């Protein structure tokens, strides 16, 4: 009897223990706090904080937010709720390790102008194929052959500025980076096509940041018409290439020769959208970086002299500039290269990447709701004193040692990282070489401050005057 009652007691004890654990577990599941939205302000209804972002110095906008709310905060930009993430780990989470949860996203009006098949609007197989083609055409092995042509473009641009008139540096740099973009896509293109592409691309570009309106005569409508004409011109170029059966290794050649594993080729629309997409990705970014480099060098004459000394040595080795730059020389310009890196850090041309979360995602206890825009803010990562001490000071020597992992990402990271970064750097090195060895320039007006349109550029595009330096025997680096 006693044994039976002990057994009953043990059973009762065990069952109550089990139900206790079950209850606790259930309770924990029920009461587990749901991830909360990050802190931050959503601003005014509909406009949110768009005006603040686009009217303020972006450094001030982002830094104030981060100081107030920390490394993750919510806001409302361009009609969309957004989560901004400002740490290297968070940028890696969104762009690399969990990239499949965040799709690239652009306003429809912009997608319409560039063309919906451009690679950076896509994820998955289509994006992979296109990306490989673009990467191949912009690889070091391919672009090294472009050096003599980029040099002659840079020299003729510099000569055209050096007659004493005031130029808008950013506008002129845009012309140069457009030409280099055309070169990388088509090789040496017939001047008639080049001019037509230039003229229509310029109209499209003017409408790109305008209000998307359906009213005829507005910049956006003009841009759409110009975009249609670009399709026609590209169609003619493609047709001519096919007739001549030219098997070029440039980007257009790669697009035309592409076949996927099922034998599927690219349509003319897909090719046209990707050509416009690459031109778009290449032009303002490189022009903005070049404009900042000129400003930073102008503001630090001692640094300019040191860069000049580095470049003069190369110039002299090239028979006073009579021989073309060699690839190995462009890979051995340590100070000039550090000036480029520091300019990319300081200016942070692409302030943030733009993605959309495809499901509810939890990151560090915060909820990023499905459909919200997600923006890893490169600018804050580049301006955080923990990553770069005294971040507001222009100091190329900080790049004598490599930055901490994931803290320097001017060209992005992961599956959408910039495939044009080597070409952009090559173009900058070549322009600086010819600029500092042959020319001088002065910046006009008090031009401190950033204009954000949408790429950050110095106020008024950096008005400047250029002239050719009087050549002495040792300085004969003229073309
Ligand atoms: C200083 C100059 C440049 C900077 C700072 C820059 C920066 C970037 C960044 C940050 C991205 C990634 C955007 C994202 O993740 O959403 C990107 C993508 C891209 N860039 Fe660049 N870029 C520059 C020049 C160029 C040039 C010269 C080309 C081509 C000739 C180019 C072609 C592209 C393309 C095609 C993509 C999209 C890649 C993809 O989605 O897979 N970029 N760029």
């Amino acid at each position: 009897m006693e044994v039976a009652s002990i057994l009953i007691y043990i059973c009762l004890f065990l069952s109550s223990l089990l139900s206790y654990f079950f209850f606790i577990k259930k309770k924990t599941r029920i009461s587990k706090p749901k991830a909360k939205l990050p802190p931050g302000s959503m601003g005014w209804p509909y406009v949110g904080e768009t005006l603040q972002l686009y009217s303020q110095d972006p450094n001030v906008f982002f830094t104030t937010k981060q100081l107030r709310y920390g490394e993750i905060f919510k806001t409302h930009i361009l009609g969309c709720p957004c989560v901004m993430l400002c740490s290297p780990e968070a940028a890696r989470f969104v762009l690399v390790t969990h990239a499949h949860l965040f799709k690239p996203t652009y306003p429809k009006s912009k997608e319409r102008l560039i063309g919906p098949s451009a690679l950076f609007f896509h994820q998955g197989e289509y994006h992979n194929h296109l990306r490989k083609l673009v990467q191949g055409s912009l690889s070091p092995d391919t672009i090294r052959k472009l050096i003599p042509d980029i040099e002659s473009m840079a020299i003729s641009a510099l000569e055209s500025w050096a007659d004493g008139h005031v130029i808008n540096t950013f506008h002129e740099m845009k012309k140069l980076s457009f030409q280099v973009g055309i070169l990388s896509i088509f090789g040496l293109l017939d001047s008639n096509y080049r001019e037509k592409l230039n003229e229509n691309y310029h109209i499209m570009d003017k409408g790109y940041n305008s209000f998307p309106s359906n009213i005829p005569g507005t910049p956006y409508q003009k841009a759409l018409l110009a975009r249609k004409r670009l399709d026609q011109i590209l169609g003619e170029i493609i047709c001519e290439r096919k007739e001549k059966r030219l098997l070029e290794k440039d980007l257009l050649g790669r697009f035309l020769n592409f076949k996927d594993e099922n034998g599927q080729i690219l349509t003319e629309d897909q090719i046209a959208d990707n050509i416009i997409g690459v031109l778009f990705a290449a032009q303002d970014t490189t022009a903005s970086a070049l404009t900042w480099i000129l400003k930073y060098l102008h503001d630090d004459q001692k640094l300019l002299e040191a860069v000049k000394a580095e470049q003069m040595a190369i110039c002299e080795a090239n028979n006073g500039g009579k021989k073309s730059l060699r690839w190995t020389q462009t890979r051995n310009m340590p100070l000039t290269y550090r000036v480029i890196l520091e300019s990319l850090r300081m200016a942070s041309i692409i302030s943030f990447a733009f993605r959309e979360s495809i499901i509810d995602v939890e990151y560090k206890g915060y909820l990023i709701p499905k459909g919200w825009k997600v923006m890893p803010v490169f600018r804050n990562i580049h301006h955080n004193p923990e990553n770069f001490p005294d971040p507001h000071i222009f100091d190329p020597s900080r790049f004598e040692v490599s930055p901490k992992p994931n803290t320097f990402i001017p060209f992005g990271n992961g599956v959408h990282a910039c495939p044009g970064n080597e070409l952009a750097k090559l173009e900058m090195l070549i322009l600086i070489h010819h600029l500092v060895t042959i020319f001088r320039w002065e910046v006009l007006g008090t031009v401190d401050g950033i204009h954000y349109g949408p790429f950050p550029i110095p106020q008024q595009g950096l008005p400047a005057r250029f002239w050719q330096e009087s050549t002495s025997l040792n300085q004969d680096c003229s073309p």
Side-chain angles (χ1 to χ4, degrees), residues 95 104 106 119-122 127 131 134 138 180-181 184-185 277-279 281-283 285-287 289 344 349-350 352-355 378 409-413 415-421 423-425 427-428:
L95 301 175
Y106 288 76
L119 77 159
F120 40 75
F121 299 135
H122 294 266
H127 171 256
R131 189 174 163 83
V134 175
L138 298 172
V180 175
S184 70
I185 295 168
V278 169
L279 280 174
Q283 194 190 20
T285 46
T286 318
L344 289 170
I349 314 296
I350 306 274
F352 47 79
F354 221 59
R355 299 284 187 275
F378 304 153
I409 41 176
F411 294 105
N413 204 353
V415 281
H416 289 278
C418 181
N421 76 90
L423 178 64
K425 287 187 280 194
E427 185 179 336
M428 294 185 233

Side-chain angles (χ1 to χ4, degrees), residues 237-269:
I237 298 174
I238 291 171
C239 191
E240 202 167 287
R241 268 279 174 105
K242 282 182 181 164
E243 271 172 15
K244 290 186 182 162
R245 296 185 177 279
L246 293 174
L247 298 169
E248 309 285 345
K249 277 282 187 189
D250 53 34
L251 185 57
L252 177 58
R254 286 167 200 257
F255 283 156
L256 289 172
N257 292 330
F258 173 76
K259 241 186 215 157
D260 72 9
E261 27 321 316
N262 305 317
Q264 195 75 30
I265 59 167
L266 293 171
T267 65
E268 266 190 31
D269 280 349

Side-chain angles (χ1 to χ4, degrees), residues 303-314 436:
L303 176 66
L304 175 60
E305 285 311 314
V307 169
K308 181 173 173 178
E310 178 171 277
Q311 295 300 337
M312 284 308 289
I314 295 171
V436 301

